[in-house]
Amino acid sequence: MPFNTQLQSRLPQVGTTIFTVMSGLAQRHGAVNLGQGFPDFDCDPRLVNAVEAAMRAGLNQYPPMAGVPELRDAVAKKLLTLYGRSYDAGNEITITAGATQAIFTALLAIVHPGDEVIVLEPCYDSYAPNIVMAGGTVVRVPLVPGSFKPDFEALAAALTPRTRALIINSPHNPSGTVWSAQDMQRLADLLRPTDVMLISDEVYEHMVFDGHTHLSAAQWPDLAERSFVVSSFGKTYHVTGWKVGFVAAPAPLTHEFRKQHQFNVFTVNTPVQHGLAAHMADAESYLTLSDFYQQKRDQFRAGLAHTPFKLLPCEGSFFQCVDYSALSDQTDQTYCEWLTTQMGVAAIPLSAFYAGGTDQRVIRFCFAKKASTLEHALDRLTKL
Ligand SMILES: Cc1ncc(COP(=O)(O)O)c(C=O)c1O
């Protein structure tokens, strides 16, 4: 009898992600790729030097399971300085293989079969499959269409005795909205009487515009005590391919998190951790990141101002959403394919961030690109 290769899928609904599809299409058609969210410019050469120095110094073997102490110390110092919460680097901070692994491992640590986990749609594409892989049930609550602000009435209505956790993301991918102090306070008030845990995805924490500041769950004691605060060095230092992030959480949460982490990735690569730790000594690079990206946002928005696209607000992250309904009544997916193949600029349809494919005639561009790449894309888009 031949071996039966028909596997029963844990994720039967999952196919190739839209990011891979659109990047492939962009490549085949020579389109400027403003779809997938990664910079097309290099990181600070001093960071590469610091990693190289660590490799040459022989720091190439397994690090401590939770991450090298120097990097955990640097993260704790940053969280204290920026958000005023003291995390113990020994017991409350763990270095992960990117924010994605941090979120998945947090879910593995807290979710049991029958537990519900709330996500606010549109949302980053790994959340829902990770909840399912952890044995949980995904409960989707839409952000307010148009503004993409949290809808606290809908959120309150979605809470049940089975709700184990909620995942939030500010600054937000894909919409670029940023939670206000009032939003954070309302969330704290809503969760206070419950045992619901919070996974706060803050990977764009250093990209907030127009003088606003990022507000972390770490700043609200009622939230911090139940939160896994997650961030990504990949986003902050223009090294998305290095896949290194961190999670900060109170000791009992971290204790359970590390049990899963230990037998999952175990450790994250050593020289990169040392390089990041050395580089973090200079806070300048992340403290100036908002200005750096605001210039790019402004260049891109100024260029698009002369097109029939309606620009949605962009308060943070490196994404600009536009409403194209004045140009076409095609679905957002078809419109993105047309834009890529006929106009030579790739974008991502917002419906890809909704399980039900909600189509608002809105698409997302990534402006984490060289000024020349943005100019090139704008040359093409201004012909619309
Ligand atoms: C909202 C959000 N969370 C998490 C991630 C993943 O971060 P990392 O590459 O560090 O896993 C991304 C990357 O695009 C993201 O946009």
Side-chain angles (χ1 to χ4, degrees):
M1 264 243 294
F3 177 69
N4 180 4
T5 55
Q6 294 292 311
L7 299 182
Q8 185 190 348
S9 178
R10 265 180 189 276
L11 299 170
Q13 316 301 340
V14 170
T16 310
T17 75
I18 185 72
F19 307 101
T20 309
V21 171
M22 293 310 298
S23 287
L25 202 62
Q27 208 168 12
R28 285 197 298 283
H29 290 267
V32 185
N33 191 355
L34 303 190
Q36 207 168 356
F38 60 86
D40 73 342
F41 43 85
D42 218 345
C43 65
D44 187 332
R46 289 174 303 173
L47 176 56
V48 175
N49 291 343
V51 173
E52 187 194 341
M55 285 182 178
R56 292 201 186 283
L59 297 167
N60 297 306
Q61 308 309 329
Y62 295 130
M65 184 266 282
V68 305
E70 293 85 341
L71 186 54
R72 283 185 280 139
D73 285 344
V75 169
K77 193 170 151 213
K78 185 189 88 163
L79 293 174
L80 181 61
T81 310
L82 295 187
Y83 307 131
R85 186 171 178 92
S86 174
Y87 285 95
D88 175 49
N91 298 313
E92 300 188 316
I93 290 173
T94 310
I95 307 302
T96 59
T100 312
Q101 184 242 315
I103 294 164
F104 181 40
T105 305
L107 288 164
L108 288 174
I110 61 177
V111 172
H112 296 273
D115 287 349
E116 295 174 353
V117 180
I118 299 177
V119 299
L120 306 180
E121 279 197 322
C123 63
Y124 183 58
D125 64 345
S126 72
Y127 299 165
N130 282 177
I131 294 165
V132 173
M133 288 156 80
T137 302
V138 185
V139 175
R140 300 165 195 278
V141 174
L143 293 165
V144 176
S147 73
F148 301 101
K149 296 282 181 198
D151 178 343
F152 285 99
E153 267 92 68
L155 192 49
L159 292 175
T160 76
R162 289 181 303 283
T163 309
R164 186 74 190 113
L166 161 70
I167 307 180
I168 63 169
N169 170 221
S170 174
H172 184 240
N173 175 13
S175 73
T177 50
V178 170
W179 284 41
S180 66
Q182 200 191 8
D183 293 330
M184 297 300 286
Q185 188 57 49
R186 285 190 76 180
L187 182 66
D189 293 343
L190 183 67
L191 298 189
R192 191 176 305 113
T194 75
D195 282 334
V196 174
M197 308 190 77
L198 186 67
I199 298 176
S200 185
D201 179 346
E202 304 184 10
V203 299
Y204 300 104
E205 61 178 322
H206 301 300
M207 301 167 204
V208 181
F209 311 133
D210 305 321
H212 295 293
T213 44
H214 168 66
L215 298 174
S216 172
Q219 287 165 270
W220 271 259
D222 288 350
L223 294 177
E225 66 178 10
R226 63 182 73 225
S227 290
F228 293 91
V229 174
V230 174
S231 192
S232 167
F233 297 104
K235 305 287 181 191
T236 301
Y237 293 111
H238 317 312
V239 287
T240 58
W242 289 6
K243 293 296 293 184
V244 185
F246 70 81
V247 59
L253 277 61
T254 294
H255 180 69
E256 204 54 42
F257 180 97
R258 288 184 185 169
K259 286 192 202 169
Q260 303 292 327
H261 181 77
Q262 171 159 253
F263 295 114
N264 185 342
V265 290
F266 181 45
T267 57
V268 175
N269 92 68
T270 309
V272 163
Q273 289 195 59
H274 282 288
L276 285 166
H279 198 63
M280 276 186 82
D282 179 7
E284 185 75 3
S285 50
Y286 58 82
L287 293 180
T288 54
L289 198 64
S290 287
D291 289 344
F292 172 82
Y293 273 119
Q294 186 168 327
Q295 276 182 24
K296 295 195 176 295
R297 180 203 67 167
D298 291 348
Q299 181 196 352
F300 193 55
R301 283 178 72 91
L304 289 184
H306 307 292
T307 68
F309 284 136
K310 186 173 146 225
L311 295 167
L312 273 58
C314 170
E315 302 169 328
S317 81
F318 48 46
F319 300 112
Q320 173 64 56
C321 287
V322 303
D323 176 325
Y324 63 87
S325 57
L327 283 159
S328 165
D329 54 13
Q330 289 173 309
T331 66
D332 62 359
Q333 165 110 24
T334 311
Y335 188 70
C336 280
E337 284 163 12
W338 178 84
L339 203 62
T340 308
T341 56
Q342 305 304 312
M343 298 305 295
V345 181
I348 300 290
L350 225 69
S351 62
F353 298 86
Y354 291 87
T358 307
D359 186 350
Q360 300 161 80
R361 305 287 190 266
V362 174
I363 59 177
R364 186 199 80 176
F365 292 110
C366 170
F367 55 77
K369 306 293 165 187
K370 292 180 218 154
S372 56
T373 308
L374 294 176
E375 261 168 47
H376 196 178
L378 287 168
D379 278 349
R380 296 176 175 192
L381 293 172
T382 44
K383 296 199 174 69
L384 282 165

